[in-house]
Amino acid sequence: MDDPTIAILLVWALLFVYSILGSIDFGAGFWGMLLRRGEASNAGALANRFLSPTWEVTNTFLVLVVVALVGFFPFAVSMLGTALLLPVGLVLFLLLIRSSFMVYAYSSRKYGRLLNIVSGATGLLIPGLLISVLPISLGGFIDLDDGIPKLYFGRLLASPTLWAHLGFGLSSELFLSSLFLADYSRESGDTSAYLLYRKIALWLGPFTLFFAVIATYTMAPTARWIVTGIETNLEWFVFSVIAFVIGYCALLWANKDGRSGLPRVAFTAIIVQYAFASVGYGLAHLPYLIHPYLTVEEGFTNPNQFRALLVAYVAGILILGPAFYFFWKLFLKDKRYLRHE
């Protein structure tokens, strides 16, 4: 395996981890806003309790993704900057607002209600802006004008590919977060919240699969090259569908305690589903970063810098890995914290 392939695999792996953590984080903010009143208020409180310690960890992975992308592919910065400037600029602005309210809300209770609204709204807007990068990378929305990349934003907004990807991104976010919160509420012993999140996940699962299919078919007119790549790597998507079926059925299996569903099994299987689909999509997308102007090879850094960055990332992961494990044990497995004791 050559150096550019190793670099793009590392970037893709970090992006996958961030997409999962971000989906859970932003989705929890939305559920915390939506379910903060009435009979479902305990489910909303549980979502906010999970959100309290985890939003900083999610932002850490976003930094790792950006640094890896710029460090390993510095010659792609010009065109990637054109493609990502608007969506990523808005994402950073929304993250700034969201993080500020997170800090103030935990310092003063009077900001609690406003925090719910801000975290819920940004929980929908940020993933939608990030998912818009995928249609841009498929080609047809960027041209070179005297060697300078130019993004046709109006053309992008009029494309059904963008809206299909947006539907898939939002449904995935809400589906993954509801699955995780179902397991989280089961772990905390909150039966009513578990049943609610399980019901939500059962409704959202088919919608997510539907949008995934629609997003693939809407790419065909302007990006036939990646549809061909998906067909070439079809076995990964078959494995993905099988994992989805296993995860969805796990929500319907009966337990010995009489409560339906195995949320831990379901959540794990769905993560495996997204991993298979991510591998298949990544292989179909190679060798392009942005079709047809920028390939992985063209944007890659020099070998010496690559090796130095790779060593730094390996060392960083070895340091951060145990820290994330202890974080998980402290906030997501501790029975007293889960039960708000």
Side-chain angles (χ1 to χ4, degrees):
M1 188 179 295
D2 57 5
D3 291 351
T5 304
I6 295 173
I8 198 63
L9 283 176
L10 178 59
V11 172
W12 196 254
L14 290 172
L15 187 60
F16 173 76
V17 172
Y18 175 72
S19 66
I20 297 298
L21 293 178
S23 294
I24 297 171
D25 178 45
F26 296 126
F30 175 77
W31 296 125
M33 178 190 71
L34 188 67
L35 304 175
R36 63 190 178 91
R37 291 182 177 178
E39 296 180 359
S41 59
N42 61 324
L46 184 139
N48 287 323
R49 192 157 69 243
F50 158 76
L51 193 63
S52 174
T54 57
W55 60 278
E56 298 167 359
V57 175
T58 305
N59 290 341
T60 300
F61 276 93
L62 178 60
V63 173
L64 290 175
V65 170
V66 174
V67 173
L69 187 61
V70 175
F72 288 124
F73 300 98
F75 301 111
V77 170
S78 176
M79 185 164 290
L80 287 175
T82 300
L84 306 180
L85 179 61
L86 183 59
V88 173
L90 289 174
V91 165
L92 293 177
F93 176 71
L94 292 173
L95 281 175
L96 176 63
I97 295 175
R98 187 174 191 257
S99 300
S100 300
F101 274 100
M102 288 283 187
V103 173
Y104 286 118
Y106 299 128
S107 302
S108 176
R109 289 189 176 183
K110 70 178 182 178
Y111 292 102
R113 182 179 178 183
L114 189 56
L115 169 65
N116 284 331
I117 297 174
V118 170
S119 63
T122 55
L124 288 180
L125 292 174
I126 292 175
L129 290 168
L130 290 175
I131 200 70
S132 67
V133 175
L134 289 179
I136 293 173
S137 69
L138 299 179
F141 306 108
I142 290 182
D143 284 332
L144 293 180
D145 186 6
D146 293 330
I148 300 175
K150 180 179 180 181
L151 174 64
Y152 293 97
F153 192 66
R155 188 188 303 174
L156 177 65
L157 289 177
S159 170
T161 302
L162 172 66
W163 300 105
H165 277 78
L166 182 61
F168 174 69
L170 293 180
S171 60
S172 293
E173 170 202 352
L174 298 178
F175 179 48
L176 282 169
S177 59
S178 61
L179 267 178
F180 179 84
L181 290 172
D183 182 47
Y184 190 69
S185 55
R186 169 69 75 89
E187 191 76 18
S188 65
D190 193 332
T191 302
S192 61
Y194 163 69
L195 293 175
L196 177 59
Y197 284 121
R198 172 181 171 271
K199 182 179 179 181
I200 292 172
L202 287 171
W203 275 99
L204 287 173
F207 280 102
T208 304
L209 194 60
F210 168 77
F211 276 115
V213 175
I214 293 299
T216 302
Y217 278 101
T218 55
M219 292 188 293
T222 57
R224 183 64 203 176
W225 66 275
I226 195 169
V227 176
T228 302
I230 290 174
E231 293 171 351
T232 304
N233 298 278
L234 190 61
E235 64 274 9
W236 292 102
F237 298 95
V238 173
F239 294 149
S240 177
V241 172
I242 293 172
F244 172 82
V245 172
I246 293 172
Y248 194 78
C249 290
L251 289 174
L252 303 173
W253 290 339
N255 279 323
K256 294 180 180 179
D257 59 6
R259 292 181 293 180
S260 296
L262 300 172
R264 184 68 53 82
V265 175
F267 181 71
T268 303
I270 295 302
I271 295 300
V272 172
Q273 175 218 344
Y274 277 89
F276 281 139
S278 179
V279 171
Y281 185 86
L283 291 173
H285 208 286
L286 288 175
Y288 295 104
L289 289 174
I290 296 180
H291 184 274
Y293 300 111
L294 183 63
T295 66
V296 172
E297 292 276 356
E298 292 169 346
F300 187 62
T301 186
N302 64 75
N304 292 330
Q305 183 173 337
F306 163 72
R307 295 188 185 96
L309 285 170
L310 187 62
V311 170
Y313 261 86
V314 171
I317 291 172
L318 290 176
I319 295 172
L320 290 174
F324 289 136
Y325 173 75
F326 286 119
F327 172 85
W328 173 271
K329 295 287 289 184
L330 180 62
F331 290 107
L332 304 179
K333 296 293 288 182
D334 185 84
K335 297 293 184 181
R336 292 171 299 174
Y337 180 80
L338 289 171
R339 292 169 183 169
H340 205 43
E341 295 178 355

